[in-house]
Amino acid sequence: MIIPSLCVSLFDPLLVISAALQDEEEEDEGEMMSDHLKDSEEPSNKRVKPVMKSNSLTGVITPVKTPALKRIGQSISRSISFRTEARPLPPAHLRQRSKASSFPRRRNSQCWSDTVESHDLTVKEIKRQEVIYELTEGERQLIDDLSLVKKVYYEPMLKLDIMTESELGQIFGTLDSLIPLHQDLLSRLERLRGSEKTVGEVGPTLINWFPCLEAYVTYCCNQVGAKALLDQKKNEKRVEHFLRLCQESSFSRKLDLWNFLDLPRSRLVKYPLLLKEIQKCTPPDHPDEDTLPDALELIQSIVAEVNKKTGEAECQFYRRGLMYLEDGQRLPEIQQSRFLYCHGELKNNKGQRLHVFLFELALVLSRPGEDRDGGQVFHVYRQPLPNALINLEEIPDGEAAGGGTFRGAFTGGNDKVKNCFRVSSRGRSKAHSFSLQANDSFSKQQWITCLRQAIVHSRDKKAQTSQSQLPPHPDPALYHIAELSLGSSTDMVDHTSR
């Protein structure tokens, strides 16, 4: 006999997650009460061993109990089965489990050939149908995943008051509006399938639908702030518990919420790749031969526009997060920058960890911090450098530190350095020289490549600006006027009569 309320919970993620959260809170309270009773039963004259100071977190973090996680996973797995193309999170971000989960992380792949009993197509035609089928099924899977996000993440967090409606609106952005957009393409593609489950001409359908993807500008531009807010909210115990319960459950296949929120972006950049594959498999005399190049050009232009707008939004977001110690640090080049080349963590010659931003026109070193609301800010460290004035020097691995320049921070007690480079500003006597160290050789080369690009771009732009500010060249026909003598009316007559 099954209790009615249990039957409901098996098919309602909200009830399951709510019950799991309540169970976990009760377990935490029970453990606290048990510890309190044990303490009260101890004799008052018992010696207490002092707690030793330790740099390890193992002595201060309480292991998380898992029965509630196991229950929610078993319950939801019976009613929900969604799939995704997103990558699973790195193992280090997941909590260690005593037993490996058997939940699959990816969908069971199915080919077009598996859906038909027989066909008389050539190998190239079969490949074309396979790619079109992959395009169609990708739309279906994306719709499933976006619907999952709405039902299992957004709605429960709103109903359980885990986040406010405003916070959820910032994190999820316009995700809800993308579902009908992709449902439209899916229905169009399905209508193209004939009685033999083959698709003839697909180019015109894609050309007519691709302009709908301009809606991605709003969604992708919002993602920078959405990720920052989500990371901030994860520090709250109730939010962390909810997201962990979802991640450890079968419907997510160990994927984090952000993996799902990032699916639309990853889907967008996949369209050009799929079109190129369809184009490769399209014979010269096929009707798609004329329309596919136009469709590819259209989607590439849309992706480029989304990338551009997203880069501008990212630049504005981090620019707003900069906290200046003095007005002299507010370079006009920072405000004039439209995008970021790259940003990330580097060490200075004292071993301090800095967050470095390479904007379009300026290099900014900062120290991460938090504002009053717990949001991340970046305190500008020393004087930012205009990219047009940067001197870049690559420090070869194994070079001696020399003169205590690195103070052993880069070398770990040895006299050699690794993965380091130096930036300084030419033409400025008060500007500092910064020796920076990357985490590995690959990261170092990425920074050096981006810096070189930024330096060349900034100098070219500065040269173009200087050129445009020069006075216009005089008309060659008027050159003789410069030779005129203001004191001679005769000369004037002679010249003008030529």
Side-chain angles (χ1 to χ4, degrees):
M1 179 178 180
I2 303 178
I3 302 175
S5 61
L6 181 58
C7 291
V8 175
S9 67
L10 293 178
F11 297 91
D12 191 341
L14 172 59
L15 295 179
V16 175
I17 294 172
S18 178
L21 285 171
Q22 185 176 359
D23 290 345
E24 190 165 279
E25 291 175 356
E26 290 175 355
E27 288 177 1
D28 292 341
E29 292 177 358
E31 290 178 359
M32 293 176 62
M33 182 62 70
S34 176
D35 293 340
H36 176 72
L37 292 176
K38 288 180 180 179
D39 292 341
S40 63
E41 293 173 358
E42 294 291 342
S44 58
N45 61 349
K46 180 179 178 180
R47 294 184 178 179
V48 180
K49 184 177 180 179
V51 178
M52 300 296 293
K53 292 184 179 181
S54 173
N55 293 328
S56 174
L57 295 177
T58 55
V60 295
I61 296 181
T62 305
V64 179
K65 300 296 180 180
T66 58
L69 302 180
K70 193 175 295 185
R71 285 196 297 274
I72 182 176
Q74 293 172 347
S75 299
I76 298 182
S77 64
R78 303 177 191 177
S79 58
I80 301 179
S81 178
F82 290 97
R83 300 166 290 176
T84 183
E85 296 172 353
R87 283 179 160 184
L89 286 178
H93 289 192
L94 299 177
R95 296 177 181 271
Q96 296 295 327
R97 311 295 295 162
S98 58
K99 182 180 179 181
S101 173
S102 59
F103 297 138
R105 294 190 178 189
R106 295 182 179 273
R107 295 175 168 87
N108 294 324
S109 59
Q110 186 183 41
C111 300
W112 171 81
S113 303
D114 299 330
T115 65
V116 294
E117 295 182 357
S118 62
H119 56 77
D120 56 354
L121 303 179
T122 64
V123 174
K124 192 171 185 178
E125 289 172 333
I126 293 174
K127 177 61 177 176
R128 174 181 159 85
Q129 295 301 321
E130 295 287 5
V131 181
I132 295 176
Y133 182 79
E134 181 183 353
L135 171 65
T136 305
E137 290 304 299
E139 293 300 303
R140 193 188 317 277
Q141 294 167 2
L142 179 63
I143 294 167
D144 287 347
D145 285 326
L146 298 186
S147 301
L148 164 71
V149 170
K150 180 181 178 182
K151 182 175 180 61
V152 181
Y153 286 94
Y154 182 90
E155 293 177 358
M157 283 195 284
L158 181 61
K159 292 180 180 179
L160 296 174
D161 198 27
I162 293 176
M163 290 192 203
T164 66
E165 187 173 2
S166 175
E167 291 170 338
L168 291 172
Q170 293 179 54
I171 292 174
F172 288 83
T174 57
L175 183 83
D176 196 28
S177 66
L178 301 182
I179 298 177
L181 186 152
H182 289 280
Q183 287 174 334
D184 179 37
L185 177 59
L186 177 61
S187 63
R188 295 189 190 196
L189 293 173
E190 288 180 332
R191 287 197 297 267
L192 294 178
R193 300 190 72 179
S195 57
E196 298 181 357
K197 296 185 178 182
T198 59
V199 176
E201 194 175 4
V202 73
T205 297
L206 296 176
I207 290 177
N208 292 331
W209 181 81
F210 277 153
C212 298
L213 292 174
E214 292 178 357
Y216 269 65
V217 171
T218 303
Y219 181 78
C220 291
C221 287
N222 179 71
Q223 279 195 300
V224 181
K227 181 66 165 63
L229 179 58
L230 179 60
D231 290 341
Q232 175 186 340
K233 298 298 294 185
K234 284 180 180 179
N235 295 324
E236 298 181 10
K237 182 177 179 181
R238 187 168 170 80
V239 175
E240 189 274 334
H241 277 188
F242 176 86
L243 295 179
R244 176 166 48 82
L245 289 172
C246 291
Q247 187 174 355
E248 295 288 345
S249 302
S250 61
F251 61 80
S252 70
R253 301 171 314 284
K254 300 294 186 278
L255 296 173
D256 183 74
L257 170 59
W258 187 251
N259 288 111
F260 291 104
L261 294 178
D262 196 45
L263 279 176
R265 183 203 59 79
S266 61
R267 181 64 180 172
L268 177 66
V269 298
K270 193 171 183 179
Y271 287 121
L273 302 178
L274 290 170
L275 253 68
K276 289 179 181 178
E277 287 300 317
I278 296 176
Q279 198 172 12
K280 287 180 183 178
C281 306
T282 301
D285 57 344
H286 196 281
D288 267 345
E289 182 67 16
D290 296 329
T291 56
L292 284 178
D294 295 336
L296 181 59
E297 182 180 356
L298 177 59
I299 186 59
Q300 287 176 332
S301 65
I302 292 175
V303 172
E305 180 66 14
V306 173
N307 282 336
K308 176 185 175 183
K309 296 296 184 181
T310 304
E312 293 175 354
E314 180 187 31
C315 181
Q316 293 175 8
F317 176 81
Y318 286 113
R319 202 166 53 200
R320 288 195 300 267
L322 295 177
M323 305 294 291
Y324 297 93
L325 301 179
E326 54 186 41
D327 289 338
Q329 294 176 326
R330 299 178 182 271
L331 295 183
E333 287 86 352
I334 299 176
Q335 297 303 318
Q336 294 168 5
S337 295
R338 299 166 301 171
F339 61 88
L340 271 168
Y341 280 98
C342 61
H343 66 97
E345 184 182 280
L346 294 171
K347 289 182 181 179
N348 64 4
N349 60 346
K350 298 179 182 178
Q352 297 172 331
R353 296 183 182 274
L354 303 175
H355 198 98
V356 181
F357 296 94
L358 181 56
F359 289 97
E360 178 191 9
L361 302 174
L363 180 69
V364 180
L365 282 66
S366 70
R367 289 173 173 167
E370 291 185 355
D371 58 19
R372 295 179 179 179
D373 299 326
Q376 190 172 37
V377 294
F378 301 91
H379 301 279
V380 177
Y381 176 79
R382 303 292 177 85
Q383 182 66 24
L385 305 180
N387 292 345
L389 300 179
I390 286 180
N391 282 328
L392 174 63
E393 178 186 357
E394 182 175 359
I395 303 175
D397 290 349
E399 181 179 294
T405 303
F406 297 93
R407 300 188 181 182
F410 286 176
T411 62
N414 299 322
D415 292 332
K416 307 296 181 181
V417 297
K418 292 185 66 176
N419 308 321
C420 299
F421 58 92
R422 184 179 294 110
V423 291
S424 58
S425 182
R426 60 193 182 101
R428 294 194 175 192
S429 57
K430 295 183 179 180
H432 292 278
S433 173
F434 302 107
S435 297
L436 302 170
Q437 182 184 39
N439 293 328
D440 49 50
S441 58
F442 178 74
S443 177
K444 172 189 173 180
Q445 289 305 317
Q446 283 187 313
W447 275 103
I448 290 177
T449 300
C450 288
L451 279 164
R452 286 173 177 164
Q453 293 176 351
I455 293 170
V456 172
H457 170 77
S458 295
R459 291 178 182 175
D460 290 345
K461 186 171 184 178
K462 188 175 182 179
Q464 293 173 2
T465 303
S466 301
Q467 187 70 21
S468 63
Q469 292 175 350
L470 292 175
H473 294 294
D475 188 342
L478 301 178
Y479 281 168
H480 65 277
I481 295 179
E483 303 172 0
L484 298 179
S485 173
L486 296 180
S488 174
S489 59
T490 305
D491 290 343
M492 176 70 75
V493 174
D494 293 340
H495 280 289
T496 54
S497 62
R498 293 178 187 173

